[in-house]
Amino acid sequence: KFLAICLRRKMGTSSSVNLEDVRIKHNLPGLAALLIKDGKVVEPASYAVGFRKQGDPTKLTFNDKFHIGSITKSMTATLTAILIEQNILTWETTIISVFPELKGKINAKYEKVTVYHLLLHLGGVPGSPPAAAWQRAWQQIGTPFQQRREFIEAVLALPPEADPGTKKIYSNQGYMIVGAILEKLTATSWETLITSHLFVPLQMSTAGFGPPGNPGRVDEPWGHTRNQSQRTITPSQSDNPPALGPAGTVHCSLGDFAKYLTYHLTASPQLLSRENLLRLQTAPAGRDYACGWIVAEREWAHGKAITHGGSNTFWFMNVWLAPKRKFAVVVATNIADEAAHLACDEVIKAYVTSLNTVG
């Protein structure tokens, strides 16, 4: 309560005034924030302002579903660790051991690439997808399971961008390969796996995939793009193709997202051993990327902070966690551009400053 009072004093008589001021300043359709302190949601500082869709009067709410983009990667990594503890695979499981039928069809340098390499973006997998395979993914022929398998075969047939293990290359394709590995080993789609092993245990009932809501309706927020030259904002219910799922297609309410973040802060409920949870959040020596998390030292975090942004080019979300303080802040908006980044950074800075104020 003291933190919430401090936030209200620092940001004005009502914390909602601050978010609304930021939304108007940066001309955003909607803006929402989530604050977790001591592993619990601080309700007066967790809310939404603005609208679900530009030009429509329906208000954005805290209970609406938000697209989290590439923050999905940490969820895929968490799912992988859960399956590792179930002895489905190990951190050192290699691509060729899972897909022996691809021997001679994939570039030989990929054969010894491990799941851990891929989660750390150290597998040498290119940052950009093969053009023909990406175009094919947009056609969405077959199930997402089938689409991913076809896509990753096209990626692996080409030379890596760097020798595996030598260079971090941020790659959606690498996480799609992880998803395909989990699917092959379990004969179950990534969507089903992450729902049954992560969303259900954490009671994330709003979690799903792709753009939230029903097509053509304003029952959930829409994403948006901005035309800078014409200064127009266009609503959209678009997303990346389903094949990209393990790298970035999850949506959920901020309340449910809080359950996921609280797990990473408190290790409760016990989905993983503390050793493997720590592994997910720890970058190798000399590097700054763990398993779906960017790692940084911050004084306000009393040491290690983990962070990630997420965008499908229609939404933007940014999250920071301080595990030692059981603190997290999330800011999300249903548009993706420079203004969205600036707005989210502005709110995060204010919340972190308030954290420092109360110690």
Side-chain angles (χ1 to χ4, degrees):
K1 289 183 178 179
F2 181 55
L3 177 62
I5 293 169
C6 219
L7 282 165
R8 287 198 297 271
R9 288 175 179 169
K10 197 166 189 68
M11 299 178 183
T13 56
S14 169
S15 58
S16 64
V17 172
N18 177 73
L19 273 193
E20 181 65 359
D21 284 349
V22 174
R23 185 189 75 82
I24 292 173
K25 173 183 175 182
H26 294 282
N27 190 19
L28 310 176
L31 183 66
L34 164 66
L35 182 67
I36 299 172
K37 180 69 168 65
D38 296 326
K40 297 180 180 179
V41 174
V42 180
E43 292 186 4
S46 302
Y47 56 95
V49 297
F51 305 93
R52 287 178 173 175
K53 179 185 178 185
Q54 187 80 357
D56 186 280
T58 309
K59 296 285 189 179
L60 184 72
T61 76
F62 184 77
N63 294 322
D64 284 345
K65 299 172 184 176
F66 289 78
H67 197 288
I68 73 169
S70 283
I71 301 169
T72 301
K73 290 181 174 67
S74 69
M75 293 181 170
T76 294
T78 303
L79 169 64
T80 302
I82 291 170
L83 295 179
I84 285 172
E85 293 203 351
Q86 293 179 3
N87 297 316
I88 303 297
L89 72 164
T90 72
W91 295 104
E92 303 307 317
T93 293
T94 62
I95 291 174
I96 201 64
S97 70
V98 178
F99 300 109
E101 69 276 14
L102 296 183
K103 181 78 171 179
K105 296 180 181 179
I106 66 173
N107 188 283
K109 288 187 176 181
Y110 282 125
E111 291 187 3
K112 294 184 179 180
V113 169
T114 68
V115 167
Y116 193 44
H117 281 139
L118 295 168
L119 294 175
L120 298 172
H121 294 302
L122 292 176
V125 183
S128 298
W134 187 237
Q135 185 177 13
R136 175 84 171 167
W138 280 103
Q139 296 173 10
Q140 299 182 31
I141 299 172
T143 65
F145 185 120
Q146 294 166 333
Q147 295 169 39
R148 260 187 293 278
R149 174 59 187 266
E150 179 180 342
F151 184 88
I152 68 113
E153 286 189 29
V155 171
L156 294 173
L158 300 175
E161 187 171 323
D163 287 341
T166 64
K167 180 181 179 182
K168 186 188 86 174
I169 302 168
Y170 187 86
S171 176
N172 288 329
Q173 289 65 242
Y175 271 74
M176 293 165 75
I177 295 169
V178 172
I181 286 173
L182 303 183
E183 290 175 328
K184 174 72 181 299
L185 292 173
T186 62
T188 306
S189 72
W190 168 82
E191 289 83 357
T192 299
L193 287 171
I194 203 162
T195 299
S196 61
H197 288 77
L198 192 64
F199 299 157
V200 169
L202 293 179
Q203 299 181 9
M204 296 173 63
S205 61
T206 65
F209 312 97
N214 291 295
R217 295 175 58 186
V218 194
D219 52 346
E220 292 289 348
W222 289 41
H224 295 80
T225 56
R226 192 192 313 266
N227 185 311
Q228 295 291 354
S229 61
Q230 298 178 8
R231 298 187 178 182
T232 56
I233 294 175
T234 303
S236 174
Q237 288 180 301
S238 301
D239 195 12
N240 285 303
L244 189 131
T249 66
V250 167
H251 67 244
C252 62
S253 71
L254 290 182
D256 275 354
F257 192 49
K259 298 172 185 177
Y260 171 69
L261 298 180
T262 300
Y263 168 68
H264 268 272
L265 292 172
T266 66
S268 178
Q270 190 175 350
L271 301 179
L272 289 170
S273 66
R274 286 192 173 271
E275 177 186 1
N276 277 327
L277 181 60
L278 183 62
R279 186 166 187 165
L280 290 174
Q281 301 174 0
T282 303
R287 300 193 181 275
D288 66 355
Y289 200 91
C291 298
W293 295 112
I294 298 167
V295 182
E297 291 292 317
R298 291 292 185 271
E299 185 177 349
W300 59 263
H302 292 178
K304 181 174 72 176
I306 57 176
T307 180
H308 216 283
S311 177
N312 69 344
T313 74
F314 299 95
W315 300 71
F316 180 72
M317 176 182 283
N318 200 0
V319 55
W320 281 83
L321 290 80
K324 287 184 179 179
R325 302 190 74 172
K326 294 182 172 57
F327 168 90
V329 58
V330 181
V331 186
T333 178
N334 53 340
I335 191 170
D337 65 352
E338 184 179 0
H341 286 247
L342 293 173
C344 290
D345 284 349
E346 185 174 332
V347 176
I348 287 170
K349 183 177 180 180
Y351 277 40
V352 167
T353 299
S354 295
L355 174 70
N356 286 336
T357 301
V358 299

